[in-house]
């Protein structure tokens, strides 16, 4: 099996489409089809069922999928280990972060990094924290700088760097805006706008209410905190936002409850051989850890 055929197989499996896989790999669709056909000839089995426009894995494809990921990760690790012997810091760094961290936490670090290592080619991806976690687990990403999960996967090295204090907020015309100190239960009577139900931040908020025997009535969801802020400002519901996003457009509610905090930091796979470029980035992130 050659790595190019395995890369084509993974791209088709991930996208469920030969045409989308071709776009990702910067190839023509016939070239992707040829690589898949070559792989199928090598293993003596059909990897995909093609019914109309739908492409799905066969049983053989499902068996090969995790092994193909492992093979490509091992090949990449070997390349990095050999490149690291020179001690130079170059090549590419595949790194993901959330939109909020990328806008409000990382810029000074990225600026210092690119100035110190102009020869490194940054492959920066803006993803939801949950997607970035999976990308590190699958070997697609070297580093993710994201909201940390309450219970990290044991395969990952997880290092907290910052702490985001979240505040309850509402629009200036919201019924709660003119009231004094409020119990947490007061929020249960009104609609909330929160991140999506599978996000770590949503889980932190819902668990906070659940510990007091309360429920959250979520009317709308979006994973972009800046969009949540806009929805709060125009009166669509209350929410929780990092203190760094609170300004005169919204009202911070005086809730009589212990502060809600979420840890932000980086994660890498424990079994992955990190490039010198990645190690240098981790060094800068370690220097930024809030003591």
């Amino acid at each position: 099996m050659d790595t190019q055929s395995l890369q084509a197989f993974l791209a088709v499996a991930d996208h469920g489409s030969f045409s989308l896989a071709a776009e990702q790999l910067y190839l023509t669709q016939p070239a992707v089809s040829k690589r898949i056909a070559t792989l199928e000839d090598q293993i003596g089995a059909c990897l995909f069922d093609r019914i109309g426009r739908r492409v799905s894995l066969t049983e053989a494809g499902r068996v090969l999928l995790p092994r193909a990921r492992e093979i490509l990760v091992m090949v990449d690790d070997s390349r990095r280990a050999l490149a690291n012997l020179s001690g130079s810091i170059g090549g590419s760094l595949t790194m993901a972060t959330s939109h909020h961290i990328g806008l409000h936490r990382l810029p000074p670090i990225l600026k210092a990094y690119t100035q110190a290592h102009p020869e490194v080619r940054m492959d920066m991806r803006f993803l939801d924290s949950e997607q970035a976690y999976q990308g590190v687990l699958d070997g697609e990403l070297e580093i993710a700088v994201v909201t940390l999960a309450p219970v990290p996967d044991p395969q990952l090295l997880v290092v907290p760097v910052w702490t985001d204090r979240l505040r309850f907020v509402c629009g200036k015309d919201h019924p709660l805006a003119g009231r004094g100190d409020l119990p947490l239960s007061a929020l249960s009577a009104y609609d909330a706008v929160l991140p999506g139900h599978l996000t770590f931040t949503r889980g932190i908020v819902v668990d906070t209410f659940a510990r007091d025997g309360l429920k959250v009535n979520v009317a709308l969801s979006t994973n972009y905190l800046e969009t949540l802020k806009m929805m709060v400002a125009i009166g669509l519901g209350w929410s929780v936002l990092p203190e760094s996003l609170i300004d005169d457009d919204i009202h911070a509610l005086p809730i009589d409850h212990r502060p809600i905090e979420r840890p932000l930091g980086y994660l890498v796979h424990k079994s992955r051989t990190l490039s010198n470029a990645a190690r240098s980035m981790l060094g800068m992130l370690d220097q930024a850890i809030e003591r």
Side-chain angles (χ1 to χ4, degrees):
M1 298 182 198
D2 65 275
T3 56
Q4 290 184 337
S5 294
L6 290 175
Q7 287 171 343
F9 166 68
L10 288 180
V12 175
D14 289 341
H15 292 288
S17 164
F18 279 75
S19 60
L20 293 177
E23 290 180 16
Q24 177 190 325
L25 298 172
Y26 301 103
L27 297 171
T28 63
Q29 187 170 331
V32 172
S33 297
K34 183 176 180 180
R35 291 185 182 184
I36 298 298
T38 298
L39 187 57
E40 290 177 330
D41 288 341
Q42 290 173 340
I43 65 176
C46 180
L47 296 171
F48 295 101
D49 285 327
R50 305 161 180 84
I51 302 174
R53 295 185 178 181
R54 183 179 180 185
V55 177
S56 59
L57 288 167
T58 63
E59 183 177 359
R62 290 191 293 272
V63 170
L64 179 61
L65 185 62
R67 291 168 173 79
R69 294 194 195 279
E70 291 173 4
I71 290 169
L72 291 179
V73 168
M74 289 175 62
V75 170
D76 285 342
D77 276 353
S78 299
R79 289 173 178 161
R80 278 190 295 273
L82 293 171
N84 286 349
L85 294 176
S86 68
S88 62
I89 299 176
S92 63
L93 172 60
T94 306
M95 175 175 167
T97 188
S98 67
H99 288 82
H100 180 69
I101 295 175
L103 288 172
H104 299 279
R105 298 285 190 173
L106 272 184
I109 295 173
L110 291 176
K111 181 179 180 180
Y113 184 88
T114 54
Q115 289 177 341
H117 307 298
E119 66 279 12
V120 174
R121 186 172 62 257
M122 294 289 296
D123 180 2
M124 177 66 70
R125 306 179 188 182
F126 287 88
L127 303 172
D128 291 342
S129 296
E130 300 72 27
Q131 290 177 297
Y133 255 81
Q134 194 59 48
V136 174
L137 283 169
D138 291 342
E140 297 173 3
L141 302 168
E142 277 201 86
I143 306 172
V145 185
V146 292
T147 302
L148 302 182
V151 183
D153 190 293
Q155 299 178 80
L156 300 177
L157 170 66
V158 178
V159 179
V161 178
W162 308 281
T163 298
D164 245 359
R165 183 175 180 180
L166 303 177
R167 297 287 303 275
F168 293 99
V169 294
C170 67
K172 291 189 171 183
D173 296 327
H174 193 279
L176 293 174
R179 297 172 59 178
D181 289 348
L182 296 165
L184 190 65
S185 58
L187 297 175
S188 293
Y190 297 90
D191 287 341
V193 290
L194 293 176
H197 71 281
L198 296 178
T199 61
F200 300 143
T201 301
R202 169 83 162 259
I204 292 171
V205 175
V206 172
D207 288 347
T208 297
F209 278 74
R211 284 194 292 269
D212 287 0
L214 301 171
K215 291 185 177 181
V216 182
N217 299 312
V218 181
L220 295 168
S221 297
T222 177
N223 292 353
Y224 298 102
L225 297 185
E226 285 74 11
T227 305
L228 276 180
K229 177 183 173 183
M230 177 275 293
M231 297 165 83
V232 168
I234 64 176
L236 298 183
W238 63 265
S239 189
V240 291
L241 290 173
E243 289 184 330
S244 59
L245 285 183
I246 298 175
D247 57 22
D248 292 338
D249 293 334
I250 54 179
H251 177 75
L253 290 165
I255 301 298
D256 184 17
H257 194 275
R258 62 185 178 278
I260 299 179
E261 297 179 338
R262 62 174 189 171
L264 312 176
Y266 69 79
L267 50 133
V268 296
H269 202 294
K270 292 179 180 177
S271 300
R272 180 163 190 157
T273 300
L274 295 176
S275 64
N276 289 339
R279 293 178 186 277
S280 180
M281 174 60 75
L282 296 188
M284 289 191 174
L285 288 168
D286 286 340
Q287 291 177 6
I289 292 175
E290 294 177 341
R291 306 297 181 181

